[in-house]
Amino acid sequence: MSDAIKHECGISLIRLLKPLDYYKEKYGSAFYGVNKMYLMMEKQHNRGQDGAGFASIKLDVEPGQRYMSRVRSVQAQPIQDIFAQITDRINRAFKEHPEYIDDAEAQKKNIPYIGEVLLGHVRYGTFGKNSIENVHPFLRQNNWMHRNLIVAGNFNMTNVAELFDNLVQLGQHPKEMADTVTVMEKIGHFLDDAVAKLYKQIKKEGYNKMEASPLIAERLNVVKILKKASKNWDGGYAMAGLLGHGDAFVLRDPSGIRPAYYYQDDEVVVVASERAAIQTVFNVKYSEVEELAPAHAIIIKKNGKVNVKKIMEPLQRKACSFERIYFSRGSDLEIYQERKELGRLIFPKILESIDHDIRNTVFSYIPNTAETSFLGMVREAQNYLNKKKEEQILEKGSGITREELHEILEIRPRIEKVAIKDAKLRTFITQDSSRDDLVAHVYDITYGSVSENDNLVIIDDSIVRGTTLKNSILGILDRLSPRKIIVVSSAPQIRFPDCYGIDMAKLEDFIAFKAALELHRENKSLSVVEEIYHKCKEQINRDESEIINYVKEFYAPFSADQISKKIGQLLCPEGIKAEVEIIYQSIENLHRACPMNLGDWYFTGDYPTPGGNKVVNRAFINFYEGKNERAY
């Protein structure tokens, strides 16, 4: 995506089911789990580049021995930094104690990070906060082994204030009103409660305090804890947790908004945000990796027993389609096919825009993540030309000459690498405040790739704000002197804010919103804006289940084509010579391309949870009142 969109996290949980010396014997190292976690996090690096964290738990250690370790980083290369620290710690131990090198048990006993239960997390900075305190995993410590809790997730809650108040009513004093803290404390509260009740029960059975500890670990009902803790959660989430004694879980939201996949064999259980990462790192087939069902949790007990249990009642499946269009790795089988289909389905609109003149049209893409939809687009162009060629050949019949046949067959889509992203500049442009000064130099063009008066078709994953198009891309493409520049979005117009984990929170940031507002001005219908504002204000104190998304009325008077045309006008820089047209995917084609992932609230305003309607109305109120703040 040429626009900078942030905040999509990746999680990875690995549970080794054999003793560490098994992995040393079979794979040559007791660091098997640590090595696999490094690979899992790197293979999900696309989901977060601003921070990373790792935590591990050692099973069955003696009192007095350290059994939990955690390391986090917000360095420029956070994953590498984390594992450099881990490697340095291991190498120092080996240098000081060479006898550890061939002794897996000694390594586990004396070197941190080497455990059987591992949790990794990659993240983008949320809401401008990128200090180490905001990096997952989060740790809730206690002298009772069972009450220690480590949490990391790919999530966002729409009702943080309500969850915070719930904790206060339970008698807690949370240190801040952040969704990660409130979620962890909610789980922690019911974990504490469950452990206390089990201890009383086991004590009544005649066991002493030391004997009670392993029995608590055995009897602790993680399903019950998660059911109580998640009762009032409203949001999208894949929530991973480790308990100090060795239980682990990953819980997915009832609508399946955020992704989660798992694989299990007799050596390992792994859960992650990306199916392709599991396939690559553990060398397993697509069919062997299962999707964690919405409203379910995969629970791995300390004894290695694995169960998938329903925690809540599932809602209509609304897996996020935008996540698949952009954030997820394109190497996943389904995602690769979906992105190609998005490119294929938008080709008829492109054909109309270039007046069917493929001979004088150059096709390209920007940025690299749009390459897959580009392939689908070009393949459909080839199919179109093949049909035309068949018709021409059949029309000429047996009298066709070799020269005529050659001329017909020679026509093909003109494919060029027109724009090149300068990756070296990317790391400096992390905040909006500094972005505008440098964005004009992020892309270079391939001179000579387009002839004068050609049509130039450039496909992008999505056009959200359009800042990079206006400030950089269109201007440099115009240097090639095309007759017309057609910028194609493989996704529909993004009209509504997200509140489930992707950082798109302000309506006025969206170019589609700006275009619709300009159309209201031109049509002298700005009174509609005021009416929507009052409708939104009237709902502020209503129960979330009764709130209606009135912001839909803002777009209702205009067709998608009208808004796209206005977007083209707004994004066209001054002095550009080429005609500029913006083409967006339709909602219908999005659903055709991603039939199992119908979470389309960015495009339609159809939010999967009640909290979404509350957020979008708050975003409109903020816009109307001129408040530059987030809606959640």
Side-chain angles (χ1 to χ4, degrees):
M1 179 183 302
S2 51
D3 288 319
I5 298 295
K6 293 185 174 185
H7 191 45
E8 188 53 56
C9 299
I11 59 170
S12 178
L13 188 153
I14 295 175
R15 167 62 201 273
L16 304 180
L17 298 174
K18 305 281 189 182
L20 292 183
D21 57 7
Y22 170 91
Y23 303 95
K24 187 174 189 317
E25 183 68 27
K26 184 171 180 178
Y27 299 105
S29 173
F31 317 139
Y32 174 82
V34 174
N35 292 338
K36 290 295 188 185
M37 180 58 78
Y38 169 68
L39 292 172
M40 287 297 299
M41 291 172 69
E42 280 290 6
K43 293 299 179 183
Q44 296 183 107
H45 194 188
N46 53 295
R47 305 183 73 84
Q49 299 167 25
D50 291 348
F54 168 91
S56 66
I57 289 179
K58 304 173 189 278
L59 301 179
D60 300 316
V61 301
E62 294 295 323
Q65 289 183 16
R66 182 178 177 183
Y67 59 93
M68 292 193 305
S69 300
R70 179 182 62 160
V71 57
R72 299 178 293 175
S73 175
V74 290
Q75 296 300 309
Q77 300 291 333
I79 300 172
Q80 289 90 331
D81 181 52
I82 281 171
F83 286 92
Q85 292 182 54
I86 293 172
T87 302
D88 181 64
R89 183 67 181 83
I90 291 169
N91 288 339
R92 278 192 286 118
F94 282 172
K95 187 175 180 180
E96 294 168 6
H97 299 278
E99 68 275 14
Y100 292 172
I101 293 174
D102 294 314
D103 190 340
E105 190 59 38
Q107 291 172 21
K108 175 181 173 179
K109 182 177 180 180
N110 296 289
I111 304 176
Y113 311 117
I114 302 173
E116 293 90 346
V117 195
L118 314 167
L119 180 60
H121 188 269
V122 292
R123 79 187 286 271
Y124 272 117
T126 312
F127 319 154
K129 297 177 183 177
N130 199 30
S131 63
I132 198 73
E133 291 81 10
N134 297 107
V135 178
H136 303 204
F138 283 68
L139 177 60
R140 187 179 192 263
Q141 290 183 286
N142 194 287
N143 272 345
W144 279 64
M145 181 181 280
H146 319 84
R147 293 185 179 184
N148 284 287
L149 175 64
I150 301 172
V151 170
N154 172 17
F155 73 100
N156 197 70
M157 299 298 174
T158 69
N159 60 335
V160 177
E162 179 190 338
L163 297 175
F164 182 89
D165 289 342
N166 288 344
L167 289 172
V168 173
Q169 289 167 16
L170 289 170
Q172 292 194 17
H173 189 92
K175 62 180 182 180
E176 61 178 304
M177 191 185 292
D179 51 8
T180 310
V181 172
T182 52
V183 164
M184 181 174 69
E185 291 300 336
K186 198 77 181 291
I187 298 171
H189 168 80
F190 290 107
L191 173 63
D192 288 347
D193 190 51
V195 169
K197 286 178 179 176
L198 277 173
Y199 173 65
K200 286 182 182 178
Q201 179 183 328
I202 290 168
K203 193 175 178 183
K204 283 182 182 178
E205 295 173 13
Y207 295 97
N208 62 36
K209 293 178 180 179
M210 286 188 64
E211 293 169 332
S213 190
L215 292 173
I216 291 172
E218 184 183 320
R219 298 184 192 181
L220 196 64
N221 190 333
V222 178
V223 171
K224 206 173 201 179
I225 293 168
L226 293 179
K227 282 184 176 180
K228 290 180 178 179
S230 62
K231 189 176 180 182
N232 297 318
W233 292 357
D234 186 294
Y237 49 87
M239 196 75 62
L242 312 181
L243 308 186
H245 62 276
D247 286 357
F249 66 84
V250 176
L251 170 63
R252 193 176 181 197
D253 67 84
S255 300
I257 295 169
R258 299 274 76 93
Y261 300 90
Y262 67 94
Y263 166 75
Q264 175 186 0
D265 59 25
D266 63 339
E267 294 182 350
V268 67
V269 182
V270 56
V271 192
S273 299
E274 301 267 7
R275 172 170 43 203
I278 298 174
Q279 284 185 253
T280 300
V281 173
F282 290 89
N283 190 25
V284 295
K285 297 176 182 176
Y286 172 90
S287 59
E288 295 178 288
V289 181
E290 298 191 49
E291 183 178 4
L292 181 61
H296 285 65
I298 180 168
I299 295 164
I300 310 152
K301 289 292 290 178
K302 176 182 176 292
N303 61 14
K305 188 176 179 181
V306 181
N307 283 299
V308 175
K309 296 287 188 181
K310 186 171 78 170
I311 305 300
M312 298 154 277
E313 285 303 317
L315 302 174
Q316 183 182 3
R317 180 187 166 90
K318 289 288 185 178
C320 175
S321 57
F322 188 71
E323 186 159 24
R324 301 175 75 81
I325 291 167
Y326 179 60
F327 280 103
S328 300
R329 289 178 76 88
S331 56
D332 181 274
L333 173 63
E334 281 186 3
I335 291 166
Y336 182 71
Q337 292 172 339
E338 289 168 4
R339 290 181 181 177
K340 279 205 303 184
E341 187 70 357
L342 286 166
R344 186 186 75 81
L345 290 171
I346 204 166
F347 181 73
K349 271 191 173 183
I350 297 168
L351 200 58
E352 185 180 330
S353 176
I354 62 174
D355 199 22
H356 293 70
D357 183 11
I358 289 184
R359 188 188 291 267
N360 295 302
T361 299
V362 172
F363 295 91
S364 194
Y365 60 90
I366 191 170
N368 289 340
T369 51
E371 185 175 6
T372 307
S373 58
F374 167 77
L375 292 174
M377 174 184 70
V378 169
R379 189 160 297 175
E380 190 62 12
Q382 291 168 337
N383 291 338
Y384 168 79
L385 283 177
N386 286 341
K387 289 176 184 176
K388 286 292 182 184
K389 292 174 185 179
E390 286 175 9
E391 291 170 6
Q392 288 178 299
I393 292 168
L394 290 172
E395 187 179 325
K396 288 186 176 290
S398 58
I400 190 170
T401 66
R402 181 179 294 274
E403 290 75 17
E404 288 173 332
L405 181 61
H406 178 77
E407 185 180 351
I408 292 170
L409 294 178
E410 188 64 20
I411 301 172
R412 65 195 66 184
R414 293 167 58 194
I415 301 167
E416 300 289 351
K417 182 75 172 177
V418 173
I420 304 161
K421 192 168 187 179
D422 193 335
K424 295 187 295 298
L425 291 174
R426 173 65 181 90
T427 55
F428 296 102
I429 308 171
T430 55
Q431 302 298 325
D432 288 343
S433 58
S434 62
R435 183 176 168 79
D436 290 344
D437 294 334
L438 297 172
V439 73
H441 301 283
V442 174
Y443 292 95
D444 291 327
I445 49 170
T446 305
Y447 293 96
S449 58
V450 177
S451 301
E452 192 170 335
N453 295 322
D454 276 337
N455 297 310
L456 174 56
V457 175
I458 294 278
I459 193 166
D460 196 348
D461 309 283
S462 181
I463 304 165
V464 184
R465 301 184 184 106
T467 309
T468 311
L469 274 177
K470 184 169 185 174
N471 293 350
S472 174
I473 294 172
L474 288 172
I476 65 169
L477 293 179
D478 193 51
R479 296 177 196 170
L480 298 171
S481 300
R483 180 181 65 82
K484 185 176 184 181
I485 301 171
I486 300 106
V487 183
V488 181
S489 169
S490 68
Q493 297 165 3
I494 292 182
R495 301 179 172 191
F496 301 92
D498 179 56
C499 51
Y500 303 117
I502 294 174
D503 188 16
M504 297 192 293
K506 300 174 187 175
L507 279 167
E508 58 270 33
D509 283 348
F510 304 144
I511 189 61
F513 185 86
K514 291 177 181 177
L517 185 62
E518 189 61 29
L519 288 171
H520 277 298
R521 286 196 184 101
E522 292 175 1
N523 290 4
K524 296 182 172 51
S525 56
L526 285 174
S527 58
V528 170
V529 178
E530 187 175 356
E531 290 169 11
I532 295 169
Y533 167 71
H534 289 301
K535 287 179 179 179
C536 292
K537 286 284 282 187
E538 287 169 4
Q539 296 188 102
I540 283 180
N541 296 317
R542 284 191 192 173
D543 186 89
E544 285 185 356
S545 62
E546 299 175 1
I547 294 177
I548 297 168
N549 178 3
Y550 284 115
V551 183
K552 288 183 179 183
E553 296 179 5
F554 179 77
Y555 297 99
F558 314 113
S559 69
D561 287 343
Q562 283 178 294
I563 293 174
S564 292
K565 185 177 180 181
K566 180 54 65 176
I567 289 172
Q569 294 170 6
L570 293 177
L571 294 184
C572 190
E574 283 187 29
I576 197 167
K577 298 171 187 174
E579 179 187 349
V580 174
E581 183 176 355
I582 308 289
I583 295 175
Y584 281 91
Q585 188 72 263
S586 69
I587 303 293
E588 295 75 22
N589 282 343
L590 172 71
H591 291 168
R592 286 173 65 190
C594 308
M596 298 301 295
N597 302 278
L598 300 176
D600 62 2
W601 54 92
Y602 315 93
F603 319 114
T604 64
D606 296 332
Y607 289 90
T609 76
N613 290 335
K614 180 180 179 181
V615 166
V616 69
N617 285 346
R618 168 53 65 186
F620 196 89
I621 292 169
N622 288 346
F623 150 73
Y624 190 89
E625 294 179 352
K627 294 179 179 176
N628 185 25
E629 60 186 49
R630 308 183 64 84
Y632 61 92

